[in-house]
Amino acid sequence: MGENMTEQKYEITVGIECHVQLATKTKLFSEVDNDARGKEPNSCVSPVEYALPGMLPRLNREAVKMAIRAGLALNSEINLFSRFDRKHYFYPDSPKGYQITQMYQPIIGAGFVELPNGKKVRIEHAHLEGDAGKLTHFDNYSLVDLNRADTPLIEIVSMPDIHSAHDAHDYCKELWRLMTFSGVCFGDLYNGNMRFDVNISLAEKGSKTLGKRAEIKNLNSFRSVERAIEYEYERQSKMLDAGEVITQETRGWNDATGKTTSQRSKEEAQDYRYMPEPDLPPIRLLSDQVKAEQENMPLLPADYRATLGVIIPQDILEILLDYKELVDKLAELKTEYDIQGIDKETSKAAILKISNLFTSVLLAEENSSLLNDPMPSTKQLIDLNSMIAKNELSSTSVKEVFLRFFTPEMRFKETRIIAKELNLIQENDLGAVEKIVDEVINDPKNAQAVTDFKAGSEKVLGFLVGQVMKASRGKANPSMAQEILRKKLLEMKILEKKII
């Protein structure tokens, strides 16, 4: 449905505000633990979050550094001067009665995010602020948990450059990659580390005026973003076709029903009565501070696309980019092969084999828990590739050895030792394999298969190869066994014709 929007009467315009929880050890304005996962409600709270009289905020320096790094990941200008403002609203999840944010002079200026398809979505700005607490609603009462109150956030505000649900999905995923790769966010969507507010409006194609927008709040998955936009397109287009007026409002998304529902009318800036924050001085950065963060920036998705995109097909690479540890390991492999002076074609083939193991074996549902374990060493993977190149392991054995890299008892062993202990190294000695093939051909149990092959039945060759593998306890090279079998059986067939 997302792609079909381009064929419809109305053009959809989407702008997205993304709230990113920064991975600091402590909160934005106090020394309280910032990681409340699995902890009792209201256990990570100080008098600052409770807004007790006389309690003053103290700005977390590390949060400022992470905000700079996030801005650099967004290709944004870092403002050397920024300041905080109070955004007033009265709600049980905010004991202060206001949120400390950056309305007028944010720390992160204009930038852009480039999607995998090459489209660019402009960033209007991103600002630093404290998060609200969390309300849990029951039938006739609600409970408040302030563990999340004043968790450091940056809110990334995009320009209305998105015109399909699919691009919105890709934009949110790319933001997630940028924030996790740069190390500023844990990226745990389930626990709300990143949340998306999606503004959606429709207008007739060719119109220079945007329609009235609905904002869908607190989406926490890429798929939910895509589905909510698709639903809103259908809802708003039906209303416009019927001559109804779109209300500017905030709506909630129900993942189970696949529908949005009205929550409240959309507030404007004046409703929040913004004012300068009197208890915090402005942030004054030096260009050297920004430069220091720039020099320490880790590799980002664009860097991996540049180095690995010439080796790995784009669709496979986009899957791998969802797992930083996997593309990190592939980049390490490439660097090591370059250091060793391995020619490009050999290096490319080797990296491609390991990337295929990552996608087909490690990312298989039954093995996905292994992603929580330490990755194999670069040497283990290089040695595995070497054994593959020498035909020392069958395709099944390659997968078995690869999976054993993740088991505690074999994690630190050399690849060859693991294969040897598991009795998986293939027999590549021509004479040894020929001897086993002769035994299989001369075995009375296989006489019918031999006769069938001579009569022109090619399919029995697979059966005979299986018998060779069985006789060798899986150690014979199957390709070599097949080649020797075919040669010997054809020689026997020719010899019998001559005798006749």
Side-chain angles (χ1 to χ4, degrees), residues 9-10 235-246:
K9 176 180 177 183
Y10 302 103
R235 183 185 74 86
Q236 292 187 31
S237 61
K238 287 177 181 177
M239 290 181 67
L240 292 172
D241 285 342
E244 299 177 35
V245 177
I246 304 295

Side-chain angles (χ1 to χ4, degrees), residues 29 55-58 83-88 96 98-101 273-282:
F29 302 120
M55 295 298 101
L56 297 176
R58 298 175 298 281
R83 66 176 177 84
F84 290 97
D85 304 284
R86 287 187 180 181
K87 177 182 180 181
H88 292 87
K96 291 191 290 288
Y98 59 85
Q99 179 187 34
I100 300 178
T101 183
R273 296 177 293 115
Y274 284 95
M275 61 171 278
E277 170 54 59
D279 293 332
L280 287 169

Side-chain angles (χ1 to χ4, degrees), residues 12-67:
I12 189 168
T13 300
V14 178
I16 297 176
E17 299 162 10
C18 176
H19 298 83
V20 180
Q21 289 186 359
L22 300 180
T24 56
K25 291 181 180 178
T26 56
K27 291 193 176 183
L28 187 55
F29 302 120
S30 74
E31 291 77 20
V32 173
D33 189 355
N34 188 37
D35 186 1
R37 289 176 295 180
K39 295 179 182 175
E40 290 294 316
N42 300 304
S43 61
C44 295
V45 190
S46 77
V48 174
E49 287 78 44
Y50 279 126
L52 298 182
M55 295 298 101
L56 297 176
R58 298 175 298 281
L59 181 59
N60 185 332
R61 183 185 296 267
E62 190 62 27
V64 175
K65 288 183 178 180
M66 287 191 177

Side-chain angles (χ1 to χ4, degrees), residues 301-443:
D303 300 311
Y304 291 107
R305 290 189 181 103
T307 56
L308 298 175
V310 295
I311 299 171
I312 302 169
Q314 184 182 3
D315 57 338
I316 301 298
L317 183 55
E318 290 304 318
I319 293 171
L320 292 168
L321 281 169
D322 289 343
Y323 307 90
K324 185 177 185 297
E325 61 273 34
L326 301 188
V327 287
D328 274 346
K329 184 56 64 177
L330 292 171
E332 285 177 23
L333 270 176
K334 185 178 185 305
T335 300
E336 186 59 33
Y337 281 127
D338 289 345
I339 291 171
Q340 292 181 13
I342 304 298
D343 69 90
K344 288 185 178 181
E345 288 306 312
T346 302
S347 170
K348 180 178 178 179
I351 293 168
L352 196 54
K353 284 174 184 173
I354 298 302
S355 71
N356 288 336
L357 282 172
F358 284 164
T359 52
S360 64
V361 180
L362 190 56
L363 297 183
E365 187 175 351
E366 64 271 19
N367 298 323
S368 58
S369 63
L370 298 178
L371 287 166
N372 299 319
D373 297 331
M375 290 294 294
S377 70
T378 303
K379 185 179 186 306
Q380 284 177 318
L381 295 175
I382 287 175
D383 290 345
L384 181 61
N385 261 325
S386 177
M387 295 185 74
I388 294 170
K390 294 175 182 175
N391 288 320
E392 293 182 298
L393 295 172
S394 67
S395 58
T396 303
S397 297
V398 169
K399 293 177 183 178
E400 188 168 348
V401 171
F402 176 74
L403 288 173
R404 292 304 180 107
F405 288 151
F406 295 90
T407 58
E409 65 274 14
M410 291 194 174
R411 184 169 293 149
F412 301 106
K413 291 185 178 181
E414 291 185 8
T415 306
R416 181 169 292 279
I417 291 174
I418 294 174
K420 192 172 182 179
E421 288 183 2
L422 297 173
N423 199 31
L424 295 175
I425 298 177
Q426 286 188 153
E427 180 60 73
N428 283 311
D429 180 86
L430 183 62
V433 176
E434 276 192 337
K435 183 179 179 182
I436 297 171
V437 167
D438 287 338
E439 290 173 359
V440 168
I441 290 174
N442 294 321
D443 188 336

